Each structure stands twice: as C-alpha cells, then as structure tokens.
Amino acid sequence: MIVTTKKLFEAAYGKYAIGAYNINNLEQCMGLFRGNLDSQAPFIIQISRGARSYTNKLMLEGIIRTADEVFPDAIFAVHLDHGDEETALDCVNSGFYSSVMIDASHAPFDENIAITKRVVDAAHAKGIVVEAELGQLGGVEEHVSVSEADAKLTDPNEAKEFVERTGCDSLACAIGTSHGAFKFSGSQGLHFDVLADIQKNLPGFPLVMHGSSSVPQEEVARINAAGGELKGAKGVDANQFKRAAELGVTKINIDTDGRLVWTRVHREFFRDHPEQFDLRPPGKIFMAEYAKFIASKNVKLGSAGQLEALRKLIG
Ligand code: G3H
Ligand code: 13P
Ligand code: ZN
C-alpha cells in the first residue's frame, strides 16, 4: 500500500526512523520488499533523477506498482530523491509519487524558499507531501559536488523560518554527514548539538538525515579482497540512528550501503566462478543479500516490527 511519508512520520516521530532506500532496478526492488516484510517494517522507496533516467522513468514505476501487487502487506511511500523544480513538478503531476523532495539547498536562502514554496503549493494541491533541504552536505549529489570545506551545517534559526515560510512537510538537515562511501577523513561525526537545537526550534516537525550509509568495514574489506579499490571508505555509525530518531529524525537515507552489497556479491561471484556468464545466479544471491541487509538496517533504525501497529493506525 502506497502512503504519504506524512503518515509514516506521524507514527514514527520521536520513537524510530523510517529507512529511505534508493533503488534503480528490479533486483533492488525485490530485495527491498522482501527485506522490509521479513523485518515487518514500513519503508520509503527513493527514486533519484539518475534512477528515473537509468532506463525510463515509467519502467521503475511499473516495477514498483507490480511489487505492490506481489507484496500486498507492504506499507511504503514512493519519494523523489533530490528533485529539482522541474522533476518535482513532473512527479507531482504523475499521480504515482506520494512524496517529493525539492532540493534547492545550493541556492541562497530566499531563493531556496521561493523555489520550495512553488513546489509545496503544487504538491499540496494534489495531496502530495514535500521534503525540502536547508544547509549543504559534503560529497556528491546529482550534478552538485560540495567539498568538505564548502559543506554548511543547517542553521537552527534559519530552519524555523524556512519551514514557516515554505510550508514544507519535512526538512533535510546538514548535520555532518555526506553522500557516498567516503564520509569522514578524520574523527568527524554527527553534530547532535545542531540537531537538538533544530528540534528545539521545530518541536514535533519531521527531520531527515541524508548521507547515512554506514559503509561497513567488513563489506569494504570483502570488496577490496575481490579486486575492488575502496581505500579509506568510512560511514555513519548505525548505532547513532536511535539517538537521531529521539531528536526528531524520522527518515534516514541509505543508498551507498546497498551499492556496496551489489558490488561485493558480483565481485565475489565472478572471482569464484570465472567460467560463468549467466546474470541470474549472482542476481539471485544479490536479491537475498539485499533483503538481509535491509532487514538488519531496519533493526538499527527501530522500524523493524512496526508494520502491524502502523497498519492499525492508518486503518
Ligand atoms: O543522494 C544521492 C543518492 O545516493 C542517489 O544517487 O543520484 O547516483 O542515483 P544517484
Ligand atoms: P548515502 O550515500 O550515505 O547512502 O546517502 C544516500 C542519500 O542521502 C540519498 O538521498
Ligand atoms: Zn541525499
């Protein structure tokens, strides 16, 4: 069942965070649904602009609609990740997405507000909810590369004004994470002090943490042992998700870790079976491993086991 992120956040606020997972293809979609049902968790499917153009935006939409039929017990939101205005409006008008992100965080404050407000007005007119972003994460977002030096943590006072003036439904905050597999070069970590101040200014308002892959060292070691070169990859400590949830984070974005599962499975498979050229055997292993990965992430997020309570709540 496709629901808005608003419904998911109402149930989760202050208690747990919902996993927001990016997918690009059929195998990820199958593993995603299985993993969430195995762990009895509600979830958010994230579709980036890159995912929409990987094949054709309708292709991924068709796969997800079919998964909804194949797994009728699943409760999830379909969300555009890091949309620009044009893509966000396209998704709003598509009738498929229940939630969109408008990411104008690279623009000056007033311009970010103006762009976000236009998307919010169009989305709300159709019952679709909007995530916006204030502050800048380090790392690479689609078409925008932000160096560590240029990354800018969210200002808690600006956050309050931003939410009031835009009417957005949730806010992605920069609190020290970055996208990709190389998040921290030294001892940097999450800025819980900033998060606590944002929550103080916006009590009860759902916050979003991007760039939250953990980049498990065991996964990196296996990839490197099978021919990869991911030296120095480092991520967010998943044991900190619970504290973030208590401070108002209701959505935690994870993409890179899923890509690492794919890379590890396929590198190891073809290293160990050099005679193979059928794509299905590693595909099957990947779907099972991805499902396992999703289920274990949901335990860290606290969303595992919440499905039935949520079903009762939304009726
Ligand atoms: O924040 C970016 C997400 O990980 C999506 O990545 O734009 O390469 O699909 P992508
Ligand atoms: P990671 O690169 O840490 O997985 O972050 C994903 C993300 O924020 C998608 O919007
Ligand atoms: Zn992101």
Side-chain angles (χ1 to χ4, degrees), residues 22-24 46-52 81-82 140-143 179-180 210-211 253-256 259:
N22 291 66
I23 66 163
N24 294 268
Q46 301 218 111
I47 304 175
S48 70
R49 278 178 288 161
R52 280 161 59 88
D81 190 28
H82 292 288
V140 181
E141 294 184 5
E142 275 180 325
H143 315 303
H179 291 101
H210 282 247
N253 286 13
I254 297 165
D255 182 9
T256 296
R259 297 180 183 198

Side-chain angles (χ1 to χ4, degrees), residues 135-311:
Q136 282 200 274
L137 275 72
V140 181
E141 294 184 5
E142 275 180 325
H143 315 303
V144 187
S145 176
V146 183
S147 74
E148 275 299 316
D150 291 335
K152 186 177 159 299
L153 299 187
T154 303
D155 177 320
N157 293 322
E158 281 189 357
K160 183 174 164 58
E161 184 185 341
F162 184 88
V163 168
E164 284 168 359
R165 287 175 59 191
T166 61
C168 66
D169 302 279
S170 61
L171 185 68
C173 303
I175 56 158
T177 63
S178 58
H179 291 101
F182 302 88
K183 298 188 192 301
F184 307 113
S185 48
S187 58
Q188 311 98 311
L190 300 185
H191 293 257
F192 282 114
D193 51 337
V194 176
L195 190 56
D197 285 344
I198 297 170
Q199 191 194 34
K200 224 176 278 161
N201 286 347
L202 290 166
F205 189 79
L207 306 175
V208 178
M209 220 166 85
H210 282 247
S212 299
S213 278
S214 307
V215 191
Q217 292 306 294
E218 190 205 320
E219 198 77 292
V220 172
R222 284 176 71 174
I223 290 170
N224 288 343
E229 287 190 17
L230 299 178
K231 308 271 184 300
K234 204 169 169 192
V236 174
D237 179 357
N239 293 317
Q240 298 193 314
F241 290 168
K242 224 169 154 230
R243 182 154 171 226
E246 284 161 9
L247 291 171
V249 171
T250 49
K251 173 173 178 276
I252 291 192
N253 286 13
I254 297 165
D255 182 9
T256 296
D257 282 350
R259 297 180 183 198
L260 294 177
V261 174
W262 188 94
T263 304
R264 183 251 301 166
V265 165
H266 289 84
R267 278 198 179 278
E268 287 186 347
F269 182 84
F270 287 110
R271 175 196 63 190
D272 298 341
H273 304 277
E275 75 293 351
Q276 281 272 6
F277 54 91
D278 185 351
L279 58 93
R280 289 166 299 191
K284 283 233 176 238
I285 298 170
F286 170 71
M287 287 186 271
E289 288 293 299
Y290 193 67
K292 256 191 354 207
F293 151 76
I294 296 285
S296 66
K297 236 4 147 185
N298 291 339
V299 172
K300 297 285 186 191
L301 293 164
S303 62
Q306 300 290 346
L307 197 57
E308 283 320 304
L310 178 73
R311 199 186 309 284

